[in-house]
Amino acid sequence: MDEGYFVGWGTLALINAVLAQGKNRSGFNWFLLSLLLGPVATFFLALSEKR
């Protein structure tokens, strides 16, 4: 597999962690979830409301 795929997936997970913290959610948990689900986690995080 291409290295760029893993770098992009990891970058997306970091972006999701920052986005989650901005919405008062656990950045670490969303980071781990994003490593598993990738863009699907981004979709759910984008739709969630700020706490």
Side-chain angles (χ1 to χ4, degrees), residues 27-43:
F28 181 71
N29 288 342
W30 277 96
F31 174 77
L32 294 178
L33 187 64
S34 296
L35 286 177
L36 295 173
L37 300 178
V40 176
T42 306
F43 176 74

Side-chain angles (χ1 to χ4, degrees), residues 4-35:
Y5 179 77
F6 294 108
V7 172
W9 201 269
T11 303
L12 180 63
L14 287 172
I15 291 169
N16 285 345
V18 171
L19 183 61
Q21 286 181 341
K23 292 188 173 202
N24 295 328
R25 299 181 185 277
S26 171
F28 181 71
N29 288 342
W30 277 96
F31 174 77
L32 294 178
L33 187 64
S34 296
L35 286 177

